[in-house]
Amino acid sequence: MSIFYQNPVLKTTNTLSQEESKHCAQVLRHTAGDEILVFDGQGCRYTGILTKVSKSACEFEVKSTEHFPKKPFSVHLAIAPTKNTDRMEWMVEKLCEIGVDQLTFLVTQHSERRKLRLDRMEKKVISAMKQSKNPFKLHIN
C-alpha cells in the first residue's frame, strides 16, 4: 500500500499536495477507489480511499485512523553542519528513521557551512518518514 504525507488530515474529503498528487497519479498510477496510507507526522496513520485522481490534485476520504502514543522521552540532537551537503542529508534521513524528535543546526566558530537548504532537508525528512513508516516527523530547528 502506498504511503503519503499530509498535514493536517481532515475528517471529510482531503486533497494531497501537488507534489504528492503527481507522484500518486503519474508515478504510482493510482486510480479512484484505490486504498492508500497517509501519515500526518504527529502520530496518526490514516487509511484512505482515493475518490478523485489527477496529477494536480488527488482527493481521498478517511476510512480509518490509528493513533500512536508518543515516547515517554525526547531525543534532541544539536550539530554543526559539515561541508559536504550529501553527508548532512544522509544524516537527516537516518536520524528520522531511528526516531530522533528534534535536530538543531549550530553555527560554531569553526563551522564550514553557514547556510543550509532547509526546504531540501524537509523533503528528505518526509521521504524518510514514509519509508520507515515512522508516524512522527523529525522537527528541524
Side-chain angles (χ1 to χ4, degrees), residues 6 8-16 48-52 57-63:
Q6 179 71 28
V9 176
L10 309 171
K11 303 245 186 265
T12 59
T13 302
N14 295 277
T15 304
L16 293 174
I49 303 291
L50 289 169
T51 56
K52 178 184 170 190
C58 289
E59 293 179 1
F60 69 94
E61 290 181 359
V62 175
K63 181 175 147 184

Side-chain angles (χ1 to χ4, degrees), residues 31-134:
T31 58
D34 288 352
E35 201 170 272
I36 60 171
L37 286 178
V38 181
F39 286 98
D40 68 356
Q42 296 177 352
C44 291
R45 179 174 65 192
Y46 302 91
T47 304
I49 303 291
L50 289 169
T51 56
K52 178 184 170 190
V53 178
S54 72
K55 66 180 180 181
S56 59
C58 289
E59 293 179 1
F60 69 94
E61 290 181 359
V62 175
K63 181 175 147 184
S64 66
T65 304
E66 188 175 355
H67 299 280
F68 293 89
K70 242 185 165 315
K71 298 178 288 195
F73 58 90
S74 177
V75 179
H76 187 156
L77 183 68
I79 63 157
T82 62
K83 187 175 184 178
N84 189 337
T85 55
D86 289 339
R87 286 184 183 171
M88 292 300 301
E89 290 173 358
W90 180 84
M91 184 197 62
V92 166
E93 234 177 86
K94 298 306 167 195
L95 290 175
C96 183
E97 288 173 3
I98 64 172
V100 172
D101 299 308
Q102 287 190 45
L103 174 65
T104 301
F105 291 108
L106 303 173
V107 177
T108 63
Q109 182 180 2
H110 297 289
S111 291
E112 295 180 349
R113 179 171 299 280
R114 302 222 180 256
K115 291 184 181 178
L116 290 172
R117 291 193 48 201
L118 293 179
D119 59 330
R120 186 166 166 81
M121 295 280 185
E122 196 71 24
K123 286 181 184 179
K124 292 286 183 183
V125 166
I126 291 170
S127 174
M129 183 185 78
K130 293 188 309 188
Q131 184 177 347
S132 65
K133 298 181 181 175
N134 183 0

